Amino acid sequence: MINLTENAAAHISNYLKNRGKGEGIRVGVKTSGCSGLAYVLEFVDEVDTHDQMFVQHGVNVFVDPKSLVYLDGMEMDYVKNGLNEGFEFNNPNKKGECGCGESFTV
């Protein structure tokens, strides 16, 4: 399961509303960076029947089966810290990350 905080769900809902379309957001991983994996976020306009779907605070979150192995139990938050803002991933499966924080390993 992927958990969204209320802040993350509100941010995603606003983006979907401004886009005028979309079934939700897909969260996944891809091979990248010096540690191995990086998070991928994309809007879902057409549901893939293979995806697992979770509903959090009224937002549909889709995860493909291969990514779910690495993301199960993760919490996504949306934070503003001074001039910086963005999603933060609290992933209990993560064992380490690269120095720049762009990729992680499990």
Side-chain angles (χ1 to χ4, degrees), residues 71-106:
L71 302 177
D72 195 26
M74 182 181 77
E75 179 185 75
M76 273 180 59
D77 194 8
Y78 189 80
V79 296
K80 293 182 180 182
N81 188 4
L83 296 176
N84 297 318
E85 61 183 270
F87 288 104
E88 284 188 357
F89 304 93
N90 181 9
N91 187 345
N93 304 302
K94 180 178 77 172
K95 302 296 182 214
E97 64 185 0
C98 66
C100 65
E102 290 296 318
S103 63
F104 68 99
T105 185
V106 291

Side-chain angles (χ1 to χ4, degrees), residues 6 15 27 30 41 56 63 84 100:
E6 288 185 36
Y15 260 89
V27 182
K30 68 176 182 175
L41 300 174
Q56 295 283 305
V63 183
N84 297 318
C100 65

Side-chain angles (χ1 to χ4, degrees), residues 4-49:
L4 294 180
T5 64
E6 288 185 36
N7 284 342
H11 185 75
I12 294 166
S13 290
N14 285 337
Y15 260 89
L16 287 169
K17 189 182 302 179
N18 290 337
R19 264 182 104 226
K21 65 178 182 175
E23 298 295 322
I25 190 167
R26 180 174 289 113
V27 182
V29 295
K30 68 176 182 175
T31 303
S32 179
C34 50
S35 287
L37 298 172
Y39 299 107
V40 178
L41 300 174
E42 62 186 8
F43 291 111
V44 175
D45 292 328
E46 292 184 30
V47 177
D48 185 330
T49 58

